[in-house]
Structures are given as C-alpha cells and as structure tokens.
Amino acid sequence: SVYSSTTSTDNDAFITQTGENNSSNVRQDFQNGSALATVDQTNAAGGALNTATVSQVSLGFAAAPPQFALGADAAIRQDGEGNESTITQTGFAATAALSNEAINNQLGDNNQSFIDQSGIEGFAEVIQAGDNNASDVIQSAGNGSAEIMQTGNENDSFVTQSASNATAKVTQTTVESGNGPRIRGNDGRDDAMGDTIRSNFSNIVQSAIGSSAEVTQEGDLNRSEVNQNGTGGAEAEVSQTGIFNNSQIDQTADSFAKVTQGGDYGDNN
C-alpha cells in the first residue's frame, strides 16, 4: 500500500492490512494544517515480513506574525513476526498541545522500530512485547519526550536527544534464565571489546541543557548507559533489579544522578 499527499492543509491516512507480506508506505507533505496517519498490520499466520513507513514533512511557514503547522500524529501497530517500522516527522508546532506525536506498538517477534522527530516539540512512545525487539528514537526537537516500554526477550533501546529540556523514560522487564550473550564492556566487565549484551540494554544520549533520563530494568544481564553532556541541569535515575546489572552515567556540571541496584548475585556495578 502506498499513500502520498502533498496538499498544504490537513491530511489523514488510515491503512489496515491483514495477512502476510504486507508493506505500507505513507508520505504526507503539509504546511499550514496537520497530518494524521494510522497503520494497522496483523499477521496471525507468522513467518513473513511486514513493513510500515510513515513520513510526515512540514516546513511550517513564516508570515507576519509567524505561523506554524498544527503538528503531525503517526501511529503504527504491528501484530506478527518479523515486523519493521519507521516514522519520520519534521513538522513545526507552536505549542506542546500541537506537537508531533509518534506511537509504535509492536506485538510479536523480531520487531524493529525507528522514530526520528525534528522541529518544535515532539513525543514518541514505543511499546514492544515479544522476542528480539529493538527501538531507536532520535529527537532534535526542543522539549522532546520519549517513552520506551519493552517486555520480552533480548530487547535493546537507543534514545538520542539533542535539544534542551528533553525527557527519556525506558522500562525493560525481560527475564531470561538462560543468560544468553554477554560480551559487555564499558565497564560491565566480560569485555572482549564491548557490547552485544542481548537481554535488557538501554542507551540514552542527551546533549543539551535541562535533560532528564529515567531507566527501570528488571531481569538478567541488565545494562544502562546514560550520557548527559549538556551545559548543566541534567537528571538521571536508574533502577535495576535482577542479576549482572551494570549502570554507567556520564554528566557535566550541576547535574543529579541516582542509581539503585538489587539482585541475588552477579556483578552489580
């Protein structure tokens, strides 16, 4: 399914796909209105790759006084195996109430999600329940907010926020008794040149003033990295419950950090 709109006012797109081998591509170019896109894919049979891409682009427009687009809303729901999702939003809004909003809900195995938001104001929510899920959120909009919830096996979360007053909240609750791949490093030990982990792994990078990060991890082989390198006023709070927990926080000037770790055994550090 392919949907494309280049009108300058309000655009709406609603796509529902059921079965295997579905692909959806939505592009909306808008200026002084708003954009709404919803994609719902259900693959009950499994064993096939469904993909969904939503691109919402607005440059806003300048007048006297300045005026803005009304923001963009995108929602992708994927229920099935091997799904991938990409949402890109570049709309400009005058207030948080009119900000860009991206929601990705993936229920199934081998899901991937990518959300990229720029402009003014942005909210991203990712919910993943299943195996081998991965989430990547990039926000360059001021006052950006990202919430990631992952329940299942071998989930990874990456959040990069480059504008001021950004907030990131990551919750991961995978519990694997098999203690799969490790490698780690930096310095969650084991090393062999770093990373891989597989189980709960959260990486948050915030590079502007006034940012906050909250990470909650429950399970095995938890690793959290928070890098806040703005000019100050950053806050980071990490809570890890399980075994082999590792938390690393890097901050600059006038910042606050709190780490709570609890488990029966392992190398909490």
Side-chain angles (χ1 to χ4, degrees), residues 109-129:
D109 301 329
N110 305 313
N111 297 319
Q112 295 182 344
S113 171
F114 176 76
I115 295 176
D116 187 354
Q117 293 176 318
S118 61
I120 301 175
E121 306 282 355
F123 172 75
E125 179 183 81
V126 178
I127 300 175
Q128 296 176 315

Side-chain angles (χ1 to χ4, degrees), residues 10 25 36 39 44 54 77 85 115 120 136 148 157 173 251:
D10 295 341
N25 190 325
L36 170 63
V39 178
V54 175
R77 180 184 180 275
S85 171
I115 295 176
I120 301 175
D136 194 350
I148 317 298
S157 172
T173 58
Q251 296 174 317

Side-chain angles (χ1 to χ4, degrees), residues 5 7-9 11 27-35 55-61 67-72 88-93 100 118-120:
S5 175
T7 61
S8 61
T9 54
N11 299 309
R27 178 178 174 87
Q28 296 170 316
D29 293 335
F30 63 104
Q31 190 171 9
N32 60 329
S34 62
S55 178
Q56 297 170 317
V57 180
S58 172
L59 299 179
F61 64 98
Q67 297 178 351
F68 299 87
L70 300 180
T88 303
Q89 296 174 319
T90 61
F92 286 78
N100 296 325
S118 61
I120 301 175

Side-chain angles (χ1 to χ4, degrees), residues 222 238-242 245-247 259-263 267-269:
N222 296 323
V238 178
S239 176
Q240 295 174 319
T241 304
N245 298 319
N246 170 237
S247 173
V259 177
T260 303
Q261 293 176 319
D267 52 340
N268 295 333
N269 55 76

Side-chain angles (χ1 to χ4, degrees), residues 4-264:
S4 179
S5 175
T6 58
T7 61
S8 61
T9 54
D10 295 341
N11 299 309
D12 294 338
F14 302 93
I15 297 175
T16 300
Q17 295 176 316
T18 303
E20 300 181 5
N21 298 314
N22 292 319
S23 177
S24 177
N25 190 325
V26 177
R27 178 178 174 87
Q28 296 170 316
D29 293 335
F30 63 104
Q31 190 171 9
N32 60 329
S34 62
L36 170 63
T38 301
V39 178
D40 192 334
Q41 295 177 323
T42 301
N43 181 7
L49 177 64
N50 293 329
T51 63
T53 300
V54 175
S55 178
Q56 297 170 317
V57 180
S58 172
L59 299 179
F61 64 98
Q67 297 178 351
F68 299 87
L70 300 180
D73 291 334
I76 296 178
R77 180 184 180 275
Q78 296 174 314
D79 187 351
E81 297 184 0
N83 297 317
E84 297 182 1
S85 171
T86 300
I87 297 176
T88 303
Q89 296 174 319
T90 61
F92 286 78
T95 66
L98 302 176
S99 65
N100 296 325
E101 181 175 296
I103 298 176
N104 201 323
N105 190 339
Q106 295 176 315
L107 307 174
D109 301 329
N110 305 313
N111 297 319
Q112 295 182 344
S113 171
F114 176 76
I115 295 176
D116 187 354
Q117 293 176 318
S118 61
I120 301 175
E121 306 282 355
F123 172 75
E125 179 183 81
V126 178
I127 300 175
Q128 296 176 315
D131 299 334
N132 297 315
N133 296 320
S135 171
D136 194 350
V137 175
I138 299 176
Q139 293 177 319
S140 57
N143 302 311
S145 175
E147 295 187 11
I148 317 298
M149 178 178 291
Q150 296 174 316
T151 59
N153 302 319
E154 302 181 343
N155 299 318
D156 299 325
S157 172
F158 300 88
V159 178
T160 302
Q161 298 170 315
S162 57
S164 61
N165 301 314
T167 62
K169 181 178 181 180
V170 177
T171 303
Q172 297 173 317
T173 58
T174 293
V175 177
E176 272 296 301
S177 59
N179 292 333
R182 296 182 64 168
I183 302 181
R184 304 203 292 181
N186 239 10
D187 187 354
R189 303 177 187 167
D190 284 292
D191 207 349
M193 303 306 291
D195 289 337
T196 300
I197 317 299
R198 297 307 329 198
S199 232
N200 297 327
F201 176 43
S202 172
N203 177 275
I204 298 174
V205 177
Q206 297 171 319
S207 55
I209 191 172
S211 298
S212 66
E214 180 181 343
V215 179
T216 301
Q217 295 176 319
E218 300 177 6
D220 300 351
L221 300 177
N222 296 323
R223 177 173 167 183
S224 170
E225 296 178 355
V226 178
N227 188 331
Q228 297 171 317
N229 54 18
T231 56
E235 296 183 1
E237 186 169 345
V238 178
S239 176
Q240 295 174 319
T241 304
I243 60 175
F244 301 111
N245 298 319
N246 170 237
S247 173
Q248 179 181 352
I249 299 176
D250 295 322
Q251 296 174 317
T252 58
D254 300 322
S255 297
F256 169 81
K258 179 181 178 181
V259 177
T260 303
Q261 293 176 319
D264 296 330

